[in-house]
Amino acid sequence: MKYIASISGGQDSTAMTVRMLELGMPLDYIVFCDTGNEFKEMYAYLDRLDIYLQSKFNIGITRLKSKSDLKSLCFTPFTKGKQKGKIRGLPYSSSMSFCTRDLKKNVSERFMRTLKDDCIQYIGYVSREKNRVHQSDKKYITLKFPLIEWGWNESEVSAFLKEKTLFNELYNHFSRTGCKFCPKQSLDSWYALYAHHPAEFEEAKRWEDETKNQNAHIKNFRSDYSMIQLEKRFEKRLNSETKVPQFQFDWNEENVSCMCK
């Protein structure tokens, strides 16, 4: 049996992993799946976390990455089905999209299959997310949810990481972390990106422009507004503020399946 903690750099999976190690729970690998579309702050945080884990517990982060990245997946054509030959475009905003499947789920499952043992995979869902508990569709993987077993929610997770000086600065502006352009973000999360990460917001606009130029299947990150429309809304909102806002924003909880916790 092999024991695997799936970690995203988000506070829930990080707190879960560190606490498991403190408790002496068996853990063979700490796995991070890199989508190629993470914030630079996230990569810096993972470097710092890796040093901490190795110095305290003699175990580091195993970084996995698909041969593809999010952008290349968006701008390649479908290979089968009704849309065969059409450029795929941006990820779906509900259910599990190709980015989660190809860049996270399949990558981690392939890694576990190479271990040639049954695996316990630990997922960082907090106690209030009991409705998200599910079983793996792979016979060799059993999923476990320690934070739910401990009754930990975001408040316990945040306090634990601050005590360990393992706070991730992205949580100054987001209450969830994940890919820069996750289509499951709420409007307020996109506003946080606009206000605090303008270069990334401009990049999202360019992706939308390119999907339109190539007549892709999905042309916008959201079904209600394009990035240009959001920019106009956000510009007015930001101009009405006396300073750049410092609140925290939450992500759309519906159909979240990207293991961004």
Side-chain angles (χ1 to χ4, degrees):
M1 184 71 73
K2 292 293 189 296
Y3 298 86
I4 320 292
S6 291
I7 193 168
S8 67
Q11 66 175 8
D12 298 344
S13 60
T14 300
M16 174 195 75
T17 301
V18 174
R19 186 57 179 158
M20 285 177 60
L21 290 167
E22 286 185 343
L23 293 173
M25 295 173 64
L27 198 54
D28 297 298
Y29 296 94
I30 301 168
V31 170
F32 167 72
C33 294
D34 187 355
T35 65
N37 194 46
E38 313 290 334
F39 286 99
K40 64 181 184 297
E41 292 88 348
M42 181 60 79
Y43 291 120
Y45 178 75
L46 287 166
D47 289 342
R48 180 162 70 92
L49 179 62
D50 191 43
I51 293 170
Y52 176 89
L53 293 170
Q54 292 196 54
S55 64
K56 294 283 187 180
F57 306 106
N58 197 33
I59 184 172
I61 298 173
T62 299
R63 304 193 189 204
L64 306 178
K65 193 171 185 179
S66 169
K67 293 180 180 179
S68 301
D69 59 20
L70 179 58
K71 189 171 185 180
S72 64
L73 288 177
C74 290
F75 295 103
T76 54
F78 290 101
T79 58
K80 58 184 178 181
K82 294 188 297 183
Q83 302 295 335
K84 184 178 179 179
K86 192 178 184 69
I87 295 297
R88 181 184 275 123
L90 302 173
Y92 301 118
S93 59
S94 63
S95 70
M96 183 179 291
S97 193
F98 59 85
C99 53
T100 301
R101 182 185 65 247
D102 293 350
L103 301 179
K104 292 187 176 184
K105 185 176 185 292
N106 290 352
V107 171
S108 62
E109 289 177 351
R110 279 197 298 269
F111 171 75
M112 285 184 276
R113 190 165 61 244
T114 66
L115 301 177
K116 298 183 178 181
D117 277 309
D118 288 344
C119 295
I120 301 291
Q121 183 182 16
Y122 295 105
I123 304 295
Y125 294 167
V126 293
S127 184
R128 67 177 181 82
E129 297 178 302
K130 292 177 182 177
N131 62 306
R132 296 182 66 187
V133 170
H134 61 285
Q135 295 303 316
S136 172
D137 56 1
K138 304 298 181 183
K139 292 182 179 179
Y140 59 92
I141 300 174
T142 300
L143 301 182
K144 299 286 187 179
F145 307 90
L147 295 176
I148 292 177
E149 294 176 9
W150 304 335
W152 282 26
N153 282 309
E154 285 86 352
S155 57
E156 288 84 5
V157 161
S158 180
F160 176 78
L161 291 179
K162 287 179 179 178
E163 179 187 348
K164 304 295 178 185
T165 65
L166 290 174
F167 180 74
N168 185 331
E169 67 179 78
L170 285 169
Y171 285 93
N172 286 325
H173 313 303
F174 300 95
S175 59
R176 284 284 182 87
T177 60
C179 300
K180 293 182 290 187
F181 309 146
C182 182
K184 297 178 175 66
Q185 294 182 84
S186 67
L187 281 173
D188 278 340
S189 288
W190 282 110
Y191 180 55
L193 188 74
Y194 171 81
H196 297 283
H197 301 275
E200 285 79 3
F201 192 89
E202 287 296 317
E203 187 180 358
K205 284 170 54 183
R206 290 194 294 272
W207 284 30
E208 283 199 347
D209 286 342
E210 186 62 24
T211 61
K212 294 174 177 61
N213 291 338
Q214 297 194 35
N215 191 29
H217 179 53
I218 303 293
K219 300 179 177 65
N220 293 323
F221 286 103
R222 295 183 60 90
S223 60
D224 49 2
Y225 299 103
S226 68
M227 289 296 103
I228 291 177
Q229 290 171 324
L230 286 181
E231 182 179 44
K232 292 177 181 178
R233 289 168 58 96
F234 294 160
E235 184 178 13
K236 293 178 181 179
R237 181 173 171 181
L238 190 60
N239 287 340
S240 69
E241 304 279 353
T242 57
K243 59 181 180 179
V244 177
Q246 296 294 321
F247 0 91
Q248 292 186 344
F249 300 121
D250 205 357
W251 289 34
N252 180 2
E253 292 282 341
E254 295 182 10
N255 296 315
V256 173
S257 56
C258 56
M259 298 185 291
C260 59
K261 305 272 290 170

